[in-house]
């Protein structure tokens, strides 16, 4: 039986428990990823003549397995890795971590046990990379991504910069159009490549592949990048270890900088020592013709390097702090010059706290030299509000990624989110590109109407602010509101308690609900064959892409009209969240094992939970059990009532309680024995006998429930063996996946109705009692009080 991907990843992360204590995450990642590398190349290339990676005798993961429990395991692992490195020109790459370091791994038996356990974790049938595929469905790619995210999270502020969040990498890859690359002659560069995660995500966007070039200054991180290129089927990628600014490696024959078709980068933010090792004023590569960045801030140094490294048709995307958009002096001059040249295609403002090296908000500066001369504006997106909390960081959701990419690539202008800003407007603002200057994403204040508070009525302006709802429910407004006694104000037609029933029962809302259901049914009709057509060896990621894009397209109006009030990206997110949480485990199980209800003779309850079998085949038996449970609960309730009434101090049942204040069969019978000869305690005896009878009834009822449940469990277990493939597909696709997704879409309908209901109730209650009426009521009550006081002989002085 295939191991769940989620379980596999968590078991890999637990492998780090073997290393915690002697080192931090920025160090133990080097050990874990080296083992992952050795396991991968051993599975994929061992015993294959002419393979891209040679796995020499004595240099494989199998040799490591043989060392478990060996007293010299650390030194011998180093030698195994050394042989593998020697055979593949990987010296200084995979042999950086010392597996015989007693300071980090412990001495003697401690090191022996720690490394033996670590090797055992990787010796897992679920970690079989021999069939690793380049199409993106490999176990390795996702396992690597999972580990890197967790390493970055634990590495802390100063050491997490080796990793660019995958979500941001995907956006960068999609907005530079690398999917248009038709052959590997197209080149992709990252001059500050870190562990290579950004390069890999960008390269994966091209169907035909691209030639990869990366440069990284840190030795261990550069080694990690080289490993990761091999791990992700890019063994020919070039990774160079050196300082990009002072010693750029990739050059043409004439000594000028090599230029690339595409570039991506997440350089260190605002680095102070950027000019160490060279003189920017006399730069050999003419990178600073548009200005020299400030001595203590290198943000623009990296941007200018990338611009100089792009071909005349080149496109790039760079992550930079927001300061590059508005800082003045030399940075303002550089910004003005590159805006005038038309190099900046767009800017995407991201949420704060996305990155592992810093909590400050950043932006993606999108570069495009090809169309620079004709560029008359810069497309801005403020995506700062689209994220979800994930531990102590923020994370972009699937819907946030998709929306950013759609809006940017289609250049869609949306209020409070995106806008094409003309260069002439930017010039008037002294070339300041601070996004809030051009896009106001603030929520409007909920202003209260003083006149309405004084004189009553609901302001028409508040009703008209719900225009999006009235477009969909054109007559609902007239059924809820009527013309007020004053111009500009309305009155409620229905009582506050009737607002929700009026909306939910309105024909237009019912029609809207049916329209949403039709859209979902259309998606379901087209998607069910895809889901039921899953075969062994299939491609889960291609499946979810087809399913999710179809769902988004239908709810966006692409094929069947839209349903205005529901955000199609919210519907899309429901599917993607379900995929991440549960559905992908099922699909990966199916492409590994096929449509099987049992594995090794045991029911596959991960794929088909027992309640699905019960609901479809044994509903009558379950209903009978529920009836028995209700009877048992009724007896228990009667016992609780007797205890509450008569188990209190001086009550008839109090003396029968245990030291812990409980009434038990033993304690009640013991008290009855005490009272056997005492005729004066008839009432207490009667109460005890009644309670004892209930105890017996409850016991019998419990036995009936257990026996019925045992019989049902046996029937359910037997049913797994009887299921045909078509029945399995019905249970998994119809009863499990589609039922869950349908319920999630229903929550969007509920959100629409609740938002409208909530706002109208708020307005109705806010202006229900005007000040004038309150004043009149106070005067009336004051007059009554005065009258009563006078009758009693009192008067105000």
């Amino acid at each position: 039986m295939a191991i769940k991907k989620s379980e596999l990843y968590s078991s890999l992360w637990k492998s780090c428990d073997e290393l915690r204590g002697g080192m931090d995450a920025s160090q133990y990642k080097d050990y874990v990823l080296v083992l992952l590398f050795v396991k991968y190349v051993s599975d994929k290339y061992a015993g294959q003549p002419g393979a891209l990676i040679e796995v020499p005798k004595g240099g494989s993961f199998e040799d490591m397995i043989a060392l478990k429990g060996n007293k010299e395991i650390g030194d011998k692992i180093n030698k195994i890795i050394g042989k593998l490195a020697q055979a593949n020109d990987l010296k200084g790459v995979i042999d950086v971590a010392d597996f015989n370091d007693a300071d980090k791994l412990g001495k003697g038996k401690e090191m022996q046990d720690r490394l033996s356990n670590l090797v055992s974790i990787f010796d897992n049938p679920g970690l079989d990379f021999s069939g690793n595929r380049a199409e993106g469905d490999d176990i390795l790619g996702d396992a690597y991504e999972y580990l890197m995210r967790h390493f970055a999270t634990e590495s802390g502020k100063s050491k997490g910069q080796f990793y660019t969040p995958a979500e941001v990498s995907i956006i960068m890859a999609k907005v530079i159009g690398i999917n248009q690359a038709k052959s590997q002659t197209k080149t992709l560069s990252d001059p500050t490549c870190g562990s290579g995660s950004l390069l890999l995500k960008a390269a994966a966007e091209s169907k035909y592949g691209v030639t990869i070039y990366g440069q990284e200054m840190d030795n261990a991180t550069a080694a990690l990048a080289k490993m990761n290129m091999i791990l992700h089927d890019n063994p020919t990628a070039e990774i160079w270890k050196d300082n990009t600014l002072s010693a750029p490696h990739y050059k043409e024959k004439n000594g000028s900088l090599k230029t690339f078709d595409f570039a991506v980068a997440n350089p260190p933010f605002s680095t102070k020592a950027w000019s160490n090792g060279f003189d920017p004023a006399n730069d050999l590569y003419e990178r600073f013709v548009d200005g020299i960045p400030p001595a203590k801030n290198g943000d623009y140094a990296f941007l200018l390097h990338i611009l100089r490294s792009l071909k005349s048709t080149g496109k790039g995307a760079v992550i930079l702090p927001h300061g590059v958009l508005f800082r003045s002096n030399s940075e303002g001059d550089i910004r003005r010059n590159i805006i005038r040249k038309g190099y900046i295609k767009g800017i995407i403002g991201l949420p704060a706290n996305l990155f592992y090296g810093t909590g400050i908000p950043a932006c993606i500066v999108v570069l495009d030299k090809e169309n620079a001369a004709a560029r008359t504006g810069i497309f801005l997106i403020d995506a700062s509000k689209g994220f979800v909390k994930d531990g102590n960081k923020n994370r972009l959701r699937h819907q946030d990624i998709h929306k950013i990419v759609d809006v940017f690539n289609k250049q869609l202008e949306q209020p409070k989110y995106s806008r094409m800003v003309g260069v002439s407007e930017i010039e008037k603002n002294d070339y300041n590109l601070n996004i809030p200057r051009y896009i106001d994403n603030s929520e409007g204040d909920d202003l209260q109407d003083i006149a309405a508070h004084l004189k009553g009525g609901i302001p028409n302006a508040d009703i008209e602010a719900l225009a999006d709802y009235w477009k969909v429910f054109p007559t609902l407004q007239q059924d809820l509101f009527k013309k007020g006694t004053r111009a500009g104000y309305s009155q409620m037609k229905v009582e506050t308690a009737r607002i929700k029933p009026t909306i939910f029962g309105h024909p237009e809302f019912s029609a809207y609900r049916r329209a949403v259901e039709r859209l979902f049914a259309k998606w379901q009709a087209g998607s069910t064959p895809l889901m039921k057509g899953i075969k062994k060896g299939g491609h889960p990621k291609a499946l979810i892409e087809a399913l999710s894009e179809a769902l988004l397209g239908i709810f966006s109006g692409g094929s069947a009209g839209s349903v205005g009030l529901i955000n199609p990206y919210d519907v899309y997110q429901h599917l993607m969240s379900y995929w991440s949480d549960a559905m992908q485990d099922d699909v990966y199980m199916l492409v590994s094992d096929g449509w099987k209800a049992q594995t090794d003779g045991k029911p596959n309850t991960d794929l088909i939970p027992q309640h699905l079998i019960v609901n479809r085949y044994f509903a009558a038996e379950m209903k009978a059990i529920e009836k028995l449970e209700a009877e048992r609960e009724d007896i228990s309730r009667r016992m609780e009532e007797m205890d509450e009434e008569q188990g209190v101090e001086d009550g008839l049942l109090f003396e029968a309680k245990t030291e812990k204040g409980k009434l038990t069969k033993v304690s009640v019978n013991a008290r009855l024995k005490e009272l056997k000869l005492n005729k004066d305690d008839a009432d207490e005896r009667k109460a005890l006998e009644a309670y004892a009878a209930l105890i017996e009834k409850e016991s019998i009822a419990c036995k009936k429930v257990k026996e019925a449940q045992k019989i049902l469990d046996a029937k359910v277990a037997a049913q797994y063996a009887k299921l045909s493939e078509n029945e399995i597909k019905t249970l998994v696709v119809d009863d499990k996946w589609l039922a869950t997704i349908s319920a999630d879409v229903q929550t969007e309908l509920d959100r629409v109705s609740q938002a409208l209901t909530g706002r109208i109730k708020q307005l109705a209650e806010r202006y229900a009692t005007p000040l004038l009426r309150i004043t009149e009521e106070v005067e009336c009550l004051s007059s009554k009080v005065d009258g009563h006081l006078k009758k009693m002989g009192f008067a105000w002085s």
Side-chain angles (χ1 to χ4, degrees):
M1 178 178 173
I3 189 171
K4 280 186 179 183
K5 291 191 84 176
S6 55
E7 290 177 1
L8 176 62
Y9 303 156
S10 60
S11 71
L12 280 177
W13 183 240
K14 285 178 183 175
S15 71
C16 301
D17 289 336
E18 298 296 334
L19 300 173
R20 290 186 180 98
M23 63 192 97
D24 65 26
S26 65
Q27 295 173 310
Y28 61 65
K29 77 177 189 307
D30 299 328
Y31 290 85
V32 172
L33 292 175
V34 164
L35 280 183
L36 189 65
F37 178 86
V38 176
K39 178 72 167 71
Y40 168 73
V41 298
S42 298
D43 286 353
K44 192 157 180 70
Y45 299 117
Q48 293 187 20
L52 288 169
I53 301 294
E54 179 189 347
V55 182
K57 185 177 180 180
S60 73
F61 186 73
E62 288 296 319
D63 296 304
M64 289 186 179
I65 294 172
L67 293 177
K68 288 194 290 185
N70 191 296
K71 292 180 180 179
E72 299 178 16
I73 186 171
D75 180 58
K76 291 183 177 180
I77 285 179
N78 281 344
K79 289 175 179 175
I80 290 169
I81 294 170
K83 287 182 180 179
L84 185 62
Q86 185 71 41
N88 295 282
D89 193 24
L90 292 173
K91 297 288 288 182
V93 176
I94 64 172
D95 54 358
V96 173
D98 180 5
F99 283 80
N100 202 35
D101 188 334
D103 291 335
K104 292 179 179 177
L105 298 168
K107 297 177 182 178
K109 189 71 165 58
E110 185 182 0
M111 177 189 288
Q112 178 185 327
D113 291 345
R114 178 170 279 171
L115 290 178
S116 295
N117 292 337
L118 191 59
V119 170
S120 293
I121 289 166
F122 282 85
D123 184 21
N124 183 329
L127 275 177
D128 182 1
F129 301 134
S130 57
N132 188 70
R133 300 193 296 269
E135 297 93 338
D137 283 321
D138 54 301
I139 294 171
L140 177 75
D142 291 344
Y144 162 83
E145 196 67 52
Y146 179 92
L147 286 171
M148 291 301 287
R149 183 188 294 277
H150 281 72
F151 286 138
T153 300
E154 287 211 351
S155 290
K157 185 173 181 179
S158 62
K159 299 175 182 175
Q161 292 184 342
F162 58 81
Y163 175 71
T164 301
E167 298 83 7
V168 180
S169 300
I170 291 168
I171 292 170
M172 296 171 73
K174 290 181 179 293
V175 298
I176 62 175
I178 200 168
N179 62 317
Q180 299 300 314
K182 301 299 182 185
S183 76
Q184 279 201 303
T185 59
K186 295 294 183 182
T187 53
L188 168 66
S189 164
D190 184 345
T192 59
C193 70
S195 65
S197 58
L198 177 53
L199 267 175
L200 288 165
K201 275 288 184 290
E205 280 297 308
S206 171
K207 274 187 187 176
Y208 304 96
V210 291
T211 302
I212 295 172
Y213 298 86
Q215 186 161 342
E216 168 57 37
M217 186 168 67
D218 180 77
N219 184 48
T221 307
L224 185 59
K226 289 181 183 180
M227 273 197 296
N228 291 340
M229 293 301 129
I230 297 170
L231 286 171
H232 289 80
D233 286 334
N234 288 289
T236 59
E238 289 191 40
I239 304 293
W240 188 259
K241 187 266 169 191
D242 215 331
N243 186 320
T244 286
L245 295 179
S246 63
H249 176 67
Y250 301 109
K251 296 186 281 287
E252 304 290 358
K253 290 181 180 179
N254 63 5
S256 65
L257 283 183
K258 180 178 177 63
T259 55
F260 304 94
D261 296 292
F262 302 97
V264 290
N266 180 13
F269 287 0
S270 307
T271 182
K272 294 180 180 180
W274 68 272
S275 60
N276 283 2
F278 78 112
D279 180 6
N282 296 297
D283 182 50
L284 297 174
Y285 310 104
E286 301 178 338
R287 291 173 290 184
F288 306 112
V289 293
D290 291 314
I292 298 176
K296 299 294 185 182
N297 192 319
D299 291 331
Y300 269 103
F302 290 105
L303 183 63
L304 292 171
H305 172 88
I306 290 166
L307 279 170
R308 183 70 184 82
S309 302
L310 285 174
K311 293 179 179 179
S312 60
T313 57
K315 297 168 176 62
V318 190
I319 300 169
L320 292 168
H322 275 270
V324 300
L325 304 178
F326 55 79
R327 290 194 296 251
S328 57
N329 300 322
S330 60
E331 290 185 303
D333 295 337
I334 296 170
R335 186 169 59 248
R336 180 187 65 243
N337 291 335
I338 60 178
I339 289 173
R340 284 178 173 176
K341 289 181 178 179
Y343 289 156
I344 301 177
K345 179 180 182 180
I347 296 164
I348 301 166
L350 299 170
N353 203 26
L354 284 183
F355 298 93
Y356 294 95
T358 178
I360 67 171
C363 61
I364 300 172
V365 179
V366 184
L367 308 170
D368 182 1
K369 276 191 171 180
E370 183 174 19
N371 302 303
R375 185 157 288 118
T376 58
I378 296 175
F379 192 74
L380 303 183
I381 292 180
D382 185 346
S384 60
K385 292 187 175 181
F387 64 90
V388 66
K389 292 294 294 180
D390 186 9
N392 63 352
K393 305 299 292 183
N394 295 331
R395 178 170 54 83
L396 295 172
R397 299 163 294 182
H398 292 93
Q399 71 181 93
D400 303 318
I401 298 168
H402 211 305
K403 182 179 180 181
I404 290 170
V405 172
D406 286 349
V407 168
F408 190 90
N409 287 342
K410 297 172 185 177
Q411 305 279 280
L412 302 173
E413 293 194 305
Q414 296 185 356
K416 297 183 179 294
Y417 188 77
S418 60
R419 185 182 165 216
M420 175 62 78
V421 182
V423 172
S424 58
E425 183 178 350
I426 295 170
E427 184 178 1
K428 289 176 183 175
N429 282 290
D430 198 23
Y431 295 93
N432 186 318
L433 288 176
N434 196 21
I435 295 174
R437 186 173 288 245
Y438 304 99
I439 299 174
D440 178 10
N441 73 354
S442 61
E443 297 295 332
D445 293 330
D446 184 14
L447 300 176
Q448 301 209 22
D449 190 299
I450 301 299
H453 277 300
L454 291 172
K455 300 180 181 180
I458 296 173
N460 288 347
D462 284 331
I463 299 171
E464 290 160 6
L466 299 169
D468 288 343
Y469 292 95
W470 310 138
K471 288 176 186 175
V472 179
F473 312 130
T475 67
L476 178 59
Q477 181 179 352
Q478 284 72 44
D479 291 346
L480 289 168
F481 302 100
K482 61 184 178 181
K483 189 175 180 181
T485 55
R486 296 178 298 121
Y489 295 87
S490 297
Q491 298 287 340
M492 291 299 306
K493 260 187 182 180
V494 299
E495 295 177 0
T496 303
R498 292 292 307 160
I499 292 173
K500 183 175 180 178
T502 300
I503 293 173
F504 276 61
H506 198 276
E508 288 171 350
F509 186 78
S510 299
Y512 180 73
R513 183 185 296 276
R514 289 193 296 273
V516 173
E517 290 169 351
R518 282 195 298 271
L519 286 185
F520 184 79
K522 183 177 179 65
W523 174 79
Q524 180 173 316
S527 299
T528 299
L530 291 178
M531 290 185 270
K532 291 188 176 180
I534 294 170
K535 292 181 171 59
K536 287 181 74 171
H539 300 287
K541 290 185 180 176
L543 172 69
I544 188 56
E545 183 176 2
L547 296 176
S548 60
E549 291 301 318
L551 186 65
L552 181 62
I554 284 175
F555 275 84
S556 297
S559 58
S562 65
V563 281
L565 298 172
I566 289 180
N567 183 339
Y569 290 101
D570 288 336
V571 177
Y572 167 84
Q573 182 62 40
H574 281 300
L575 173 57
M576 296 308 296
S577 294
Y578 181 53
W579 172 262
S580 299
D581 293 342
M583 188 177 169
Q584 72 163 334
D585 276 339
D586 291 345
V587 175
Y588 276 91
M589 202 180 300
L590 292 170
V591 300
S592 174
D593 299 338
W595 295 89
K596 293 181 180 179
Q598 294 192 118
T599 304
D600 299 327
K602 296 179 180 179
N604 187 350
T605 55
D606 285 333
L607 182 65
I608 309 172
Q610 290 183 341
H611 73 269
L612 296 180
I613 300 283
V614 171
N615 292 343
R616 183 161 284 275
Y617 297 102
F618 303 108
E621 288 87 339
M622 192 67 233
K623 191 172 182 181
I625 290 175
E626 288 170 353
K627 184 179 178 182
L628 290 173
E629 287 176 334
E631 291 171 359
R632 180 189 63 190
E633 288 166 7
D634 180 61
I635 296 168
S636 298
R637 180 183 52 77
R638 285 156 60 192
M639 291 169 68
E640 288 174 6
E641 289 175 354
M642 281 191 72
D643 190 1
E644 289 174 3
E645 292 172 7
Q646 302 178 42
V648 295
E649 194 169 357
D650 297 330
L652 295 173
L653 299 177
F654 182 76
E655 294 297 332
K657 286 195 168 184
T658 66
E659 289 182 1
K660 294 183 178 180
K662 302 289 184 183
L663 286 167
T664 67
K665 182 176 181 180
V666 172
S667 67
V668 169
N669 287 335
R671 180 61 180 165
L672 278 169
K673 285 181 181 179
E674 290 176 18
L675 299 175
K676 194 172 183 182
L677 301 175
N678 193 339
K679 295 180 180 180
D680 293 335
D681 295 319
D683 290 341
E684 182 182 356
R685 189 165 54 252
K686 185 177 180 181
L688 288 166
E689 288 170 348
Y691 196 88
L694 288 175
I695 289 176
E696 187 63 26
K697 285 183 180 180
E698 184 187 44
S699 176
I700 294 169
C702 285
K703 286 179 183 178
K704 286 182 179 179
V705 170
K706 285 180 181 179
E707 288 171 3
Q709 187 65 57
K710 187 176 179 180
I711 292 169
L712 177 57
D713 289 344
K715 287 183 178 181
V716 170
Q719 188 67 32
Y720 279 90
K722 300 175 185 177
L723 294 173
S724 67
E725 184 171 304
N726 283 336
E727 287 176 313
I728 296 170
K729 290 179 177 180
T730 298
L731 286 163
V732 174
V733 176
D734 298 337
D735 297 358
K736 186 180 182 182
W737 296 347
L738 289 172
T740 301
I741 299 165
S742 176
D744 287 342
V745 173
Q746 177 65 42
T747 64
E748 289 304 307
L749 262 174
D750 295 340
R751 183 192 56 76
V752 167
S753 58
Q754 288 167 6
L756 179 59
T757 299
R759 179 56 176 168
I760 293 174
K761 284 183 74 174
Q762 182 185 48
L763 292 174
E765 291 168 355
R766 176 180 293 173
Y767 300 113
T769 310
L771 183 60
L772 186 60
R773 188 188 305 168
I774 294 172
T775 303
E776 290 172 351
E777 289 176 358
V778 169
E779 288 176 353
C780 179
L781 291 171
S782 294
S783 177
K784 289 181 178 179
V785 169
D786 286 345
H788 287 304
L789 288 171
K790 284 180 181 178
K791 287 180 181 179
M792 297 166 65
F794 296 97
W796 293 110
S797 57

